[in-house]
Amino acid sequence: MSTPRSDGKAAEQPVAVEDAVLRAEGLVKRYGSVTAIDGADFDLRRGEVLAVIGDNGAGKSTMIKALCGAVIPDEGTIWLDGEVIHFHSPLDARRAGIETVYQTLAVAPAMDIAGNLYLGREQRKKGLLGTVFRTLDHKGMRAEAQRQLDALGVATVQNIGQLVETLSGGQRQAVAVARAAMFARKLAIMDEPTAALGVRESSMVLDLIRRIRDNGLPVVLISHNMPHVFEIADRIHVHRLGKRVAVVKPDDYAMNEVVSLMTGALRLAEDGTLVDQKAELNHRLNPRSGG
């Protein structure tokens, strides 16, 4: 019924409130008779990439939206740096230092790269030009945008004044990720950042996420791409039927085992062993059959 771990590793234990950048307990969100998240727990450690995986309809997107203010949970508690928080909109989360890169990118194609990086946060010129005439400091924004891209190692963008509509899919994603890295003080949430990208462009985005983590900013990565998850994640949050069912390290479990946890074929016991759900059910129904 169960597969013991040869290395004797136990299941990942919950992170204490004071040790987590972002933590949630007992999140519940209902839409009429449908329960999207059902007592979901979550924790993000400092300086890590935490991958969140789950089948379609598992409730992971709703949970992430609750963490970044896009959805207000009906029940549960969320802590940011050990303090209870109540977000009423994504703007509240941004003010608290949480930046989100959505799958739809939310870039303005007709604007240049610097304009997209500072979208909604435009800087005005100093003095009367800025305070009275509200003139934007385009030169200053372009210089700082170039500095930020250089610091993140984004070498594929040649001209900071280039229109985003002329960029490739990977370059557009890099702009969105760089914008999050520029303004996130606590953490960045990235929803399917490599979806619809080619192998080379996906590798570029993953390298960018890795550099952001190495700079000290924790990242939540929502992805269906298991090879990418195992390549970059420090821990994997497995979401199923509206709640967290396991948190594992990629080095401790094989990819097919994690997929089985996601689909419900296996469950993770407290001692770190993987239990075959079907075999366990058969044993309960037929205790004399052995197994």
Side-chain angles (χ1 to χ4, degrees):
M1 286 192 302
S2 62
T3 304
R5 307 306 304 168
S6 60
D7 51 19
K9 291 184 180 295
E12 281 285 296
Q13 298 300 313
V15 180
V17 171
E18 60 272 14
D19 295 332
V21 176
L22 185 66
R23 179 175 171 82
E25 285 186 0
L27 295 182
V28 175
K29 181 61 182 179
R30 303 182 183 90
Y31 296 96
S33 60
V34 177
T35 302
I37 44 179
D38 187 14
D41 299 329
F42 178 89
D43 56 67
L44 174 68
R45 294 173 177 172
R46 304 180 191 281
E48 75 168 353
V49 173
L50 175 70
V52 177
I53 65 170
D55 210 347
N56 292 332
K60 62 184 184 300
S61 295
T62 305
M63 179 191 70
I64 293 300
K65 288 178 180 178
L67 296 175
C68 68
V71 164
I72 300 176
D74 299 322
E75 301 175 22
T77 306
I78 302 174
W79 293 267
L80 180 64
D81 273 344
E83 296 184 2
V84 176
I85 53 172
H86 301 281
F87 294 146
H88 296 94
S89 70
L91 185 58
D92 289 343
R94 288 176 62 179
R95 288 169 176 164
I98 299 175
E99 289 290 328
T100 304
V101 178
Y102 296 100
Q103 190 172 355
T104 52
L105 286 185
V107 293
M111 296 179 65
D112 63 17
I113 296 171
N116 270 274
L117 291 178
Y118 280 95
L119 191 61
R121 296 182 174 97
E122 292 81 1
Q123 295 180 351
R124 299 193 187 102
K125 288 187 175 181
K126 296 180 181 179
L128 291 178
L129 286 177
T131 57
V132 177
F133 297 101
R134 305 173 70 86
T135 305
L136 297 182
D137 184 8
H138 292 289
K139 183 178 179 180
M141 287 189 289
R142 288 186 176 182
E144 179 61 20
Q146 185 65 64
R147 191 187 71 81
Q148 291 288 344
L149 291 182
D150 291 342
L152 290 172
V154 181
T156 59
V157 175
Q158 302 299 323
N159 181 6
I160 199 70
Q162 187 175 353
L163 296 182
V164 168
E165 64 186 359
T166 65
L167 301 177
S168 68
Q171 290 173 324
R172 294 187 187 195
Q173 189 65 268
V175 170
V177 172
R179 181 174 59 194
M182 281 179 62
F183 296 103
R185 302 188 311 277
K186 301 294 185 179
L187 63 113
I189 299 174
M190 303 189 186
D191 186 6
E192 300 282 358
T194 59
L197 296 183
V199 174
R200 182 179 178 181
E201 292 183 327
S202 294
S203 179
M204 178 185 70
V205 172
L206 291 177
D207 286 342
L208 180 55
I209 294 172
R210 193 177 291 110
R211 285 193 290 271
I212 291 172
R213 179 208 44 203
D214 293 342
N215 288 338
L217 185 69
V219 176
V220 179
L221 173 68
I222 303 97
S223 180
H224 284 95
N225 192 311
M226 295 303 292
H228 290 172
V229 166
F230 270 73
E231 176 183 346
I232 198 171
D234 297 295
R235 294 189 304 145
I236 303 173
H237 168 122
V238 184
H239 213 74
R240 174 172 165 78
L241 300 178
K243 64 181 66 177
R244 181 176 68 185
V245 296
V247 179
V248 298
K249 292 182 178 179
D251 293 340
D252 294 344
Y253 297 89
M255 190 181 301
N256 65 304
E257 293 175 326
V258 176
V259 172
S260 295
L261 286 170
M262 185 177 70
T263 60
L266 297 175
R267 71 174 178 85
L268 187 66
E270 292 184 1
D271 61 357
T273 58
L274 295 172
V275 180
D276 188 316
Q277 298 270 59
K278 185 177 180 180
E280 184 180 43
L281 178 60
N282 289 335
H283 179 71
R284 289 178 179 177
L285 296 176
N286 304 286
R288 296 181 180 179
S289 63

